[in-house]
Amino acid sequence: MTTEQFIATKASAAVNALYGADIPESRMQVQVTRKEFEGDFTLVVFPLLKISHASPDATGNAIGEWLTSNCPEIEAFNSVKGFLNLSLSNIYWSRLFASIESDARFGELPSTGRRIMVEFSSPNTNKPLHLGHVRNNLLGASVSNLLKAAGNDVIRTTLVNDRGVHICKSMYAWQQRFDGATPASTGKKGDHLVGDCYVEYARMEKEDPSVLDKVHDMLVKWEENDPEVRRLWSMMNEWVFEGFEQTYKALGISFDKTYYEHETYLLGKELVRKGLETGVFVKDPDGSVWCDLTADGLDRKLLLRSDGTSVYMTQDLGTAERRFAEHELDSHVYVVGDEQNYHFQVLKLVLKKLGFDWADQIYHLSYGMVELPEGKMKSREGTVVDADDLIEKMYEEAKSTSEESGKLEGVSEEEKDRLYHMIGLGALKYFILKVDPRKKMLFNPKESIDFNGNTGPFIQYTHARIKSILRKADALGIRPAVSEDAPLSPKEIRLVKLLASYPQKVQEAADAFSPALIANYCYDLAKEFNQYYHDTPILKEENSSILRMRLALIETLANVLVKATGILGMELPDRM
RNA sequence: GGUUCCGUAGCUCAGCUGGAUAGAGCAACAGCCUUCUAAGCUGUGGGUCACGCGUUCGAAUCGCGUCGGAAUCACCA
């Protein structure tokens, strides 16, 4: 039970005793007391005036009196203009702190028994990953962690778009203009080499539009399983996968299951057949198949072309059906940009029309685009921010900042390398995840991602500071320990309050599919600690139970920081 | 044109299930390292929460309208 719930329950009892009214605790409004007022939690009494038939202050005072004389945990109160501020006893906070400190699984919510598949990343194999993909990948990985922390069984998956006309374009350009170049012969990452082919193709088509016919011939041959074309296709895809693998590894991302579109693109045709039988779909005279959604305020949606081939939507319908069946999913989350809102709206609607109840359990985590100061990234204009370049840049930035501070003297080169990567990536991940996924975000390549203020490195630095103190204490043979003999200061109570709210934050964030809420929490916690650190000496404290309590407090704080940033996919260093 | 989303400090963002005087960071300015890591801490300045009307004891938050921006509405994926 959270402290808010505890107070709500007591307040409900107070109202019952004083006014004989039965107000459930869920209707009680309890919030954290604002900094400028005395107290820990505040009961909003306005909604109770109709029952008390008294002024806000009189009502507040009456409830305050009742609570302080009937609940030993509630020590004092003051009533200000309809807000009843309550102070809890030090023993209450000590015990709450002790319960958090001793709980190794603190913040891991009880199992929901639900199995959720999360699809994210889903790249095309004709160009390297860019900043937009980075946001997708980080969000997907983080939301997966979040849902897992909230007690769900999570399957991370990706659908690689490895076939189609765009792949053939790269293949054609390679054949015509690249003279047998390979990643090995050029020293280029495979995904970048294939990306170059794609760019080259665009140039070729501009010179001579008829090359498009050649590309279509190639696609037809691919579909006919032409060995020559298939061999080229496999080889180039292999290059790309190796390149992607490096990028995923650098980002710390992996999948439980990878689907390839060349295996799934024919799925869904059976559904179309059934839909035609049951009259959910209609066939036009030219042979094309449609679903009429005009009654739902949408348009008609194509499901099979007049030549009988399937489209994107057909495939997605079939894939969804197969996944729910194969994995006995309770829910499926798709991490896909908001430009596809319409697609998912239609997908769910069509599945529902086909009679699948689980259609309601599909959630499109629709995130906003990453934009540059001059607008959208455009590959034609060369304004695309490449993922590998960006990761490299972050590493260099971390390296130069670290070298400037000189705090890593005596650390091995190997360890330094690990730290630079951890810090650079931490900065990048936090930068992207701290903003509400649904909103579009701005990235200015000219300004490097900050390492000061509300940033990943700030949180990592906080952790390093705590670890430094704990190392020193350990060297002195002092062990952290919670004890009721060590009263908590107001700042320490604030920290305990924040720590205690962590499980609730995980729940809220999971409900909202928003790692940003976790990022904000991490910042609040780090900020609060740094203020505490600044004016509360720990190792110099003479009272040994207070000293040990403080060590226990910062150790718990470090543990919670590790868990929370872990959801964001960040690692925290012991020194930096 | 239809649908959906967005508009908060110079900039980047919190706050949005209605609650007290709207918060951070960056940038600017002024301080704090013989004291547990200054990637830190403290302070100053900076706001018509796009605009209007409504609901309410109370609106940045909810509703309607206006203005501005974005996405989407392919026999592309």
Side-chain angles (χ1 to χ4, degrees):
Chain A
M1 178 159 63
T2 67
T3 307
E4 280 99 328
Q5 286 165 342
F6 168 75
I7 289 172
T9 308
K10 295 297 180 187
S12 177
V15 169
N16 193 301
L18 290 167
Y19 308 114
D22 221 1
I23 310 281
E25 61 258 29
S26 55
R27 299 283 305 278
M28 291 291 168
Q29 289 186 43
V30 181
Q31 53 194 248
V32 177
T33 303
R34 291 180 68 114
K35 249 186 201 159
E36 55 271 32
F37 296 97
E38 177 87 29
D40 295 312
F41 287 88
T42 297
L43 178 74
V44 183
V45 303
F46 285 107
L48 306 171
L49 300 184
K50 280 178 194 148
I51 294 156
S52 69
H53 299 294
S55 73
D57 274 344
T59 310
N61 282 320
I63 297 171
E65 287 290 353
W66 191 93
L67 288 173
T68 44
S69 40
N70 289 279
C71 311
E73 296 89 349
I74 300 175
E75 221 169 40
F77 74 94
N78 64 84
S79 177
V80 183
K81 293 190 290 187
F83 296 91
L84 175 60
N85 303 318
L86 301 163
S87 301
L88 291 139
S89 71
N90 214 295
I91 300 270
Y92 177 86
W93 295 117
S94 283
R95 288 184 181 158
L96 181 61
F97 170 37
S99 74
I100 295 168
E101 196 262 355
S102 62
D103 182 2
R105 313 197 53 164
F106 180 69
E108 292 167 43
L109 272 35
S111 170
T112 61
R114 284 168 64 79
R115 180 174 299 150
I116 305 178
M117 181 169 271
V118 180
E119 180 190 299
F120 63 103
S121 199
S122 303
N124 283 336
T125 54
N126 64 340
K127 51 189 168 216
L129 304 176
H130 59 67
L131 183 52
H133 298 112
V134 172
R135 188 178 195 192
N136 181 304
N137 288 330
L138 297 181
L139 261 177
S142 180
V143 164
S144 301
N145 295 339
L146 185 53
L147 292 173
K148 190 150 197 257
N152 300 289
D153 196 4
V154 174
I155 305 172
R156 299 148 182 258
T157 191
T158 189
L159 176 58
V160 182
N161 185 349
D162 62 350
R163 61 160 283 283
V165 92
H166 48 291
I167 313 295
C168 292
K169 288 178 178 175
S170 296
M171 286 158 62
Y172 183 73
W174 185 82
Q175 266 186 341
Q176 299 298 314
R177 299 266 177 106
F178 279 73
D179 194 29
T182 66
S185 75
T186 57
K188 227 175 184 153
K189 243 177 119 236
D191 51 339
H192 287 265
L193 177 61
V194 173
D196 290 348
C197 296
Y198 193 68
V199 171
E200 180 60 26
Y201 171 82
R203 209 172 301 145
M204 292 166 72
E205 197 186 278
K206 211 171 174 188
E207 288 165 13
D208 175 13
S210 74
V211 295
L212 190 56
D213 297 336
K214 301 271 176 54
V215 170
H216 275 293
D217 290 346
M218 209 173 210
L219 182 62
V220 171
K221 280 187 177 167
W222 183 89
E223 301 212 349
E224 288 168 350
N225 256 314
D226 179 276
E228 198 60 33
V229 171
R230 283 283 177 147
R231 199 174 317 131
L232 177 60
W233 171 77
S234 300
M235 179 178 75
M236 289 180 74
N237 269 343
E238 218 35 65
W239 296 347
V240 174
F241 295 149
E242 274 168 33
F244 283 173
E245 201 42 52
Q246 280 181 44
T247 309
Y248 284 138
K249 201 175 167 200
L251 285 172
I253 280 170
S254 62
F255 303 96
D256 302 311
K257 183 157 178 59
T258 301
Y259 291 90
Y260 296 92
E261 207 179 287
H262 78 269
E263 296 166 345
T264 63
Y265 79 108
L266 294 175
L267 289 176
K269 287 193 174 188
E270 178 59 18
L271 279 179
V272 172
R273 199 186 57 76
K274 279 186 198 156
L276 277 171
E277 257 173 34
T278 55
V280 177
F281 303 148
V282 293
K283 189 177 265 190
D284 274 10
D286 65 0
S288 57
V289 176
W290 299 79
C291 186
D292 188 354
L293 302 169
T294 47
D296 302 278
L298 303 173
D299 293 319
R300 262 165 51 107
K301 185 71 194 176
L302 179 81
L303 294 173
L304 282 187
R305 296 189 186 96
S306 50
D307 64 5
T309 57
S310 58
V311 294
Y312 182 46
M313 179 61 72
T314 325
Q315 176 202 170
D316 257 11
L317 292 168
T319 310
E321 185 200 25
R322 177 180 278 193
R323 286 181 183 173
F324 268 88
E326 269 182 7
H327 298 280
E328 296 177 354
L329 302 180
D330 295 294
S331 175
H332 194 330
V333 177
Y334 291 86
V335 183
V336 179
D338 61 10
E339 53 199 357
Q340 295 201 38
N341 286 351
Y342 180 71
H343 173 79
F344 282 97
Q345 202 184 343
V346 171
L347 179 74
K348 289 180 68 165
L349 200 52
V350 173
L351 285 170
K352 259 188 124 162
K353 283 185 184 290
L354 286 168
F356 297 116
D357 293 336
W358 45 259
D360 287 325
Q361 297 305 315
I362 286 177
Y363 182 81
H364 173 205
L365 173 45
S366 159
Y367 64 90
M369 297 289 106
V370 182
E371 290 184 2
L372 304 173
E374 57 273 15
K376 284 188 78 170
M377 288 188 278
K378 291 191 179 111
S379 42
R380 270 177 301 153
E381 292 166 25
T383 57
V384 173
V385 178
D386 179 73
D388 297 318
D389 286 352
L390 184 58
I391 293 167
E392 174 68 20
K393 215 177 269 176
M394 297 308 297
Y395 176 94
E396 292 301 332
E397 190 76 23
K399 184 175 178 183
S400 64
T401 306
S402 291
E403 282 171 350
E404 233 169 82
S405 81
K407 285 175 189 163
L408 293 181
E409 275 173 32
V411 175
S412 73
E413 289 306 313
E414 207 183 341
E415 182 65 9
K416 276 185 191 167
D417 178 69
R418 208 177 66 83
L419 284 171
Y420 299 155
H421 189 258
M422 190 191 289
I423 295 165
L425 215 64
L428 177 60
K429 289 184 174 179
Y430 188 86
F431 175 80
I432 287 181
L433 292 174
K434 78 170 173 180
V435 342
D436 185 337
R438 291 175 310 227
K439 293 192 176 175
K440 67 180 180 205
M441 64 178 291
L442 193 110
F443 175 80
N444 189 345
K446 292 194 187 83
E447 300 168 10
S448 53
I449 291 175
D450 230 307
F451 281 30
N452 297 312
N454 187 355
T455 67
F458 170 73
I459 292 159
Q460 293 174 316
Y461 179 73
T462 302
H463 183 261
R465 268 184 154 177
I466 293 174
K467 286 295 180 181
S468 172
I469 298 174
L470 292 173
R471 275 196 300 274
K472 288 192 168 136
D474 192 58
L476 295 168
I478 309 169
R479 300 270 170 270
V482 186
S483 111
E484 287 181 16
D485 303 333
L488 299 167
S489 71
K491 280 217 164 73
E492 285 156 355
I493 290 173
R494 289 174 61 85
L495 283 169
V496 171
K497 235 186 270 183
L498 254 180
L499 289 171
S501 70
Y502 177 60
Q504 206 180 326
K505 275 284 182 261
V506 172
Q507 187 65 60
E508 275 172 35
D511 290 345
F513 298 91
S514 176
L517 297 179
I518 299 295
N520 288 334
Y521 174 79
C522 291
Y523 179 66
D524 289 343
L525 202 54
K527 180 97 186 145
E528 195 70 35
F529 167 78
N530 278 297
Q531 289 168 8
Y532 174 68
Y533 173 90
H534 183 259
D535 46 36
T536 311
I538 294 172
L539 293 172
K540 289 211 172 109
E541 174 57 45
E542 288 173 2
N543 180 314
S544 113
S545 34
I546 293 181
L547 166 53
R548 297 179 68 190
M549 175 275 287
R550 286 183 181 163
L551 289 174
L553 181 60
I554 64 172
E555 186 177 50
T556 306
L557 207 148
N559 290 340
V560 173
L561 264 186
V562 167
K563 287 183 195 213
T565 52
I567 289 177
L568 306 179
M570 283 171 63
E571 286 184 285
L572 302 182
D574 287 349
R575 52 164 56 195
M576 69 185 272

